[in-house]
């Protein structure tokens, strides 16, 4: 009989394959991928035989060093974001997460050290014990929400490396804000360059739908600026249909789908957006009944952490996922609560 250590990763990879084939935007895929990777790592470690202990030690040291480095990296990234992108709330997210993770790690350290250093006879011992309990609640909470973000991040990366077909009928290109009212930003030009790459690799070149309306501070619509860029790059005018009435990602897709439906529908459509944004866009596609594959464009590395944190918050702002996230936190905290405050 096959050892369960090897059965678990096979089972989770199979479940992920089935769920991924059905719908790439399902939230459960994030956790199926995480557990598939987790149990695969255990199986590979188990298969190492006499080197098992060494591998476990290396993994443990790797995790410890990562935990120590992550908060410093996020704080540094947050400062870099502020310097390069300005002091908007969205640009402060990686800095805030770095401080939160660092605070959680300090709280975990104090929760372990305080009970050991405070003698029971000391008058302030009980006070320190209470602080250590609070520290443990804080550190476990930070760990839980950090792991939820890691699970989300892994799946967003997975979406970018998984192969996809190349024969599309339409390619929807998501807009982004224009500079000085009419100039292309690097973020937007990267999306267009990726769409052009998809177009040129397609055996039957698809119709490109640049999508984005005109903001209050813009002199032309994003779709108009995108169309001009595509024409300059040699895309034929009859292969471009602009959608210039949308103001949000959901409207981008809704209006683009209306264009596609009016032209007889599509067998297969691609959406091109920045890599951090693909997963949430695919979720909107599912709500609209638009069969779609997401293709991510390059994003500057320094920009990626804060952008992905925004996506994580946006997805978990949905009522169902917020309830699931909080329910998981409550279930994790209950054993800790009863351990500290046993029912008499």
């Amino acid at each position: 009989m096959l050892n369960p250590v090897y059965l678990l990763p096979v089972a989770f990879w199979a479940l992920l394959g089935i769920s991924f084939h059905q719908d790439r935007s399902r939230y459960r895929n994030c956790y199926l991928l995480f557990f598939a990777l987790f149990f695969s790592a255990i199986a590979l470690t188990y298969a190492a035989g006499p080197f098992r202990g060494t591998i476990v030690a290396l993994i443990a040291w790797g995790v410890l060093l990562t935990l120590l480095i992550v908060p410093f990296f996020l704080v540094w990234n947050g400062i870099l974001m502020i310097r390069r992108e300005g002091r908007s709330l969205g640009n402060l997210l990686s800095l805030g997460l770095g401080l939160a993770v660092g605070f959680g790690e300090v709280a975990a350290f104090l929760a372990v050290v305080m009970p050991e250093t405070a003698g029971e006879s000391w008058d302030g011992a009980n006070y320190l014990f209470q602080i250590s309990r609070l520290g443990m609640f804080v550190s476990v909470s930070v760990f839980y929400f950090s792991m939820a973000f890691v699970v989300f991040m892994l799946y967003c990366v997975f979406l970018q490396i998984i192969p996809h077909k190349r024969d599309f009928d339409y390619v929807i290109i998501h807009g982004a804000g224009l500079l000085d009212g009419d100039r292309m930003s690097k973020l937007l030009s990267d999306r267009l360059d990726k769409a052009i790459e998809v177009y040129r690799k397609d055996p039957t070149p698809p119709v490109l739908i640049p999508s984005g309306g005109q903001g209050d501070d813009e002199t032309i619509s994003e779709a108009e600026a995108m169309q001009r860029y595509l024409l300059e790059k040699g895309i034929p005018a009859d292969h471009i249909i602009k959608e210039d009435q949308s103001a949000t990602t959901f409207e981008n897709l809704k209006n683009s789908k209306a264009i596609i439906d009016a032209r007889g529908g599509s067998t297969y459509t691609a959406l091109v957006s920045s890599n951090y944004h693909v997963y949430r866009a695919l979720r909107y596609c599912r709500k609209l009944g638009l069969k779609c594959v997401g293709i991510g464009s390059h994003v500057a590395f320094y920009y990626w952490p804060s952008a992905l944190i925004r996506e994580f918050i946006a997805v978990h702002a949905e009522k169902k996922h917020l309830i699931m996230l909080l329910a998981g936190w409550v279930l994790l905290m209950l054993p800790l609560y009863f351990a500290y405050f046993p029912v008499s």
Side-chain angles (χ1 to χ4, degrees):
M1 184 177 177
L2 191 62
N3 193 314
V5 171
Y6 302 117
L7 281 175
L8 281 170
V10 172
F12 275 104
W13 281 116
L15 288 171
L16 175 62
I18 294 169
S19 182
F20 191 81
H21 177 71
Q22 291 174 343
D23 189 344
R24 297 186 178 197
S25 70
R26 287 289 184 183
Y27 186 72
R28 62 173 177 251
N29 294 351
C30 301
Y31 284 89
L32 288 173
L33 174 65
F34 175 79
F35 285 115
L37 291 171
F38 177 75
F39 287 116
S40 292
I42 292 176
L44 290 172
T45 302
Y46 186 83
F51 302 101
R52 202 176 298 158
T54 303
I55 292 174
V56 170
L58 289 173
I59 292 174
W61 276 108
V63 170
L64 179 61
L65 288 173
T66 300
L67 290 174
L68 293 174
I69 291 170
V70 162
F72 292 101
F73 166 75
L74 288 172
V75 169
W76 169 82
N77 178 257
I79 294 171
L80 186 62
M81 276 290 292
I82 293 170
R83 287 177 176 174
R84 294 191 178 183
E85 303 291 335
R87 296 187 180 182
S88 68
L89 180 60
N91 295 338
L92 295 172
L93 290 175
S94 60
L95 175 62
L97 180 60
L99 293 174
V101 172
F103 181 74
E105 291 180 5
V106 171
F109 176 77
L110 294 177
V112 173
V113 170
M114 279 186 173
E116 299 296 328
T117 57
E120 293 186 5
S121 60
W122 182 48
D123 293 339
N126 184 60
Y127 177 70
L128 281 184
F129 281 125
Q130 297 302 324
I131 293 178
S132 71
R133 288 178 177 180
L134 177 62
M136 186 59 71
F137 278 111
V138 170
S139 61
V140 172
S141 297
V142 169
F143 174 79
Y144 171 77
F145 290 108
S146 297
M147 283 304 301
F149 176 73
V150 168
V151 169
F152 177 80
M153 177 188 69
L154 287 173
Y155 188 67
C156 288
V157 173
F158 180 74
L159 277 175
Q160 302 309 309
I161 62 177
I162 201 73
H164 56 78
K165 64 175 290 182
R166 292 183 175 178
D167 190 10
F168 301 110
D169 300 313
Y170 295 90
V171 176
I172 302 168
I173 314 165
H174 288 281
L178 302 176
L179 304 176
D180 301 325
D182 62 355
R183 286 195 304 112
M184 193 77 56
S185 67
K186 183 67 167 60
L187 189 76
L188 185 52
S189 64
D190 283 341
R191 294 180 183 183
L192 290 162
D193 288 340
K194 175 58 72 171
I196 293 169
E197 178 186 327
V198 173
Y199 176 89
R200 289 178 175 159
K201 288 182 177 180
D202 199 313
T204 55
V207 172
L208 303 182
I209 305 179
S211 179
Q214 181 175 341
D216 293 337
D217 59 345
E218 295 171 341
T219 57
I220 60 173
S221 69
E222 293 165 14
E224 175 65 27
M226 295 160 76
Q227 183 182 45
R228 293 177 184 178
Y229 185 90
L230 293 171
L231 290 171
E232 289 173 2
K233 295 294 183 178
I235 304 299
D238 59 346
H239 279 200
I240 305 171
I241 303 175
K242 66 180 180 181
E243 182 288 299
D244 57 4
Q245 299 301 311
S246 56
T248 65
T249 298
F250 186 79
E251 290 179 3
N252 284 160
L253 292 164
K254 181 181 178 182
N255 295 347
S256 297
K257 182 178 184 296
I259 292 172
I260 293 169
D261 289 344
R263 291 170 56 87
S266 168
T267 303
Y268 220 60
T269 300
L271 67 88
V272 172
S273 188
S274 301
N275 53 28
Y276 62 82
H277 187 240
V278 167
Y279 175 67
R280 182 157 62 100
L282 285 176
R283 294 183 60 78
Y284 292 148
C285 287
R286 177 163 59 84
K287 291 179 180 180
L288 292 166
L290 178 62
K291 187 176 182 181
C292 215
V293 63
I295 301 173
S297 63
H298 169 76
V299 174
F301 180 72
Y302 78 89
Y303 191 86
W304 194 74
S306 286
L308 197 62
I309 295 169
R310 284 202 306 271
E311 296 299 304
F312 176 81
I313 293 171
V315 169
H316 289 87
E318 297 177 25
K319 185 177 180 180
K320 179 175 71 173
H321 296 130
L322 180 60
I323 291 173
M324 290 171 60
L325 184 68
L326 293 178
W329 175 73
V330 170
L331 289 173
L332 180 66
M333 300 305 289
L334 280 176
L336 189 63
Y337 176 81
F338 287 117
Y340 282 136
F341 305 102
V343 178
S344 56

